[in-house]
Amino acid sequence: MNPPAGVAVDLLHELPQLLAGFQHLAGWQWRSTQLQGNQLQAILVPGYGRTEELPVQLPAGWEMHVQGQQVRLTHARESQLLAADLPVEKLSWLDDSHRYFPSLNIQAGAPGQDVNYQWQQWQLRLPATDLTELTRLAALLQQRNLRITGLRLQNGSRLQAELTVRLYQLLPISQGESTS
């Protein structure tokens, strides 16, 4: 069985370390970061910086790809299987979200399903945030079967964040299907 789409919410805890130094790259400006499948991608644009000087400034684990005037950095993430005996959990994070994050905008999407999983999806938007606040958001989103399937950070005078999260439930194995 394949793992569900997305990455664990722990990614939000790791962002400060993964993006450490992006605000202070000599001659380069960090524009955005997004999740594409299981890969985190960051876009940098040059000010006075030269492409050949950039690799020594980057945090470990990032792969650099030059695309015209900008640089795309990639960092691979791992998917994780859900536990087979995972119960459906109460969505307490929805009830608590506005108390802890008053500017958080949450929109529910239509439920979905594939061969192995059914899910409920939400779009979360923070119009002005920072990496520390995103780690606090991760603490709120503590459900083992919750995955981030989309992430977009837009850097400007304030960091803007958009997340797509899915709450997965494993479908029962239908009769006649093999468990191997």
Side-chain angles (χ1 to χ4, degrees):
M1 176 183 306
N2 292 328
V7 297
V9 175
D10 293 348
L11 170 65
L12 297 178
H13 286 295
E14 297 171 27
L15 282 176
Q17 181 181 351
L18 288 171
L19 303 177
F22 275 24
Q23 299 283 8
H24 307 290
L25 293 171
W28 293 86
Q29 183 179 15
W30 169 48
R31 287 288 166 101
S32 64
T33 298
Q34 64 184 11
L35 187 64
Q36 292 288 329
N38 289 346
Q39 206 173 61
L40 203 56
Q41 296 183 355
I43 301 296
L44 305 176
V45 293
Y48 59 86
R50 295 185 350 205
T51 307
E52 57 272 9
E53 296 170 345
L54 185 58
V56 296
Q57 298 184 62
L58 295 176
W62 288 93
E63 212 175 285
M64 188 172 114
H65 311 275
V66 178
Q67 296 178 317
Q69 291 296 312
Q70 68 183 18
V71 171
R72 180 176 52 91
L73 304 175
T74 58
H75 188 277
R77 308 294 308 160
E78 286 192 32
S79 292
Q80 298 167 340
L81 288 171
L82 296 181
D85 60 346
L86 208 55
V88 177
E89 301 174 43
K90 183 180 180 317
L91 299 177
S92 60
W93 67 271
L94 278 174
D95 299 333
D96 295 337
S97 62
H98 289 291
R99 181 171 45 163
Y100 296 111
F101 299 93
S103 66
L104 181 65
N105 178 344
I106 301 174
Q107 292 181 324
Q113 133 174 4
D114 61 19
V115 174
N116 300 310
Y117 307 99
Q118 65 183 11
W119 62 81
Q120 178 63 49
Q121 181 167 291
W122 293 271
Q123 292 288 125
L124 286 66
R125 289 188 180 87
L126 281 166
T129 190
D130 57 39
L131 294 176
T132 304
E133 188 172 40
L134 291 177
T135 62
R136 285 187 27 238
L137 181 60
L140 181 69
L141 300 174
Q142 288 303 308
Q143 283 185 283
R144 293 178 300 161
N145 52 351
L146 195 65
R147 298 288 186 266
I148 299 172
T149 58
L151 169 70
R152 181 157 179 80
L153 303 176
Q154 192 66 39
N155 194 22
S157 57
R158 290 281 292 170
L159 189 64
Q160 297 175 19
E162 292 182 22
L163 288 92
T164 304
V165 295
R166 282 186 184 173
L167 181 65
Y168 285 100
Q169 183 177 1
L170 195 58
L171 290 172
I173 297 173
S174 61
Q175 296 174 341
E177 261 190 64
S178 172
T179 57
S180 58

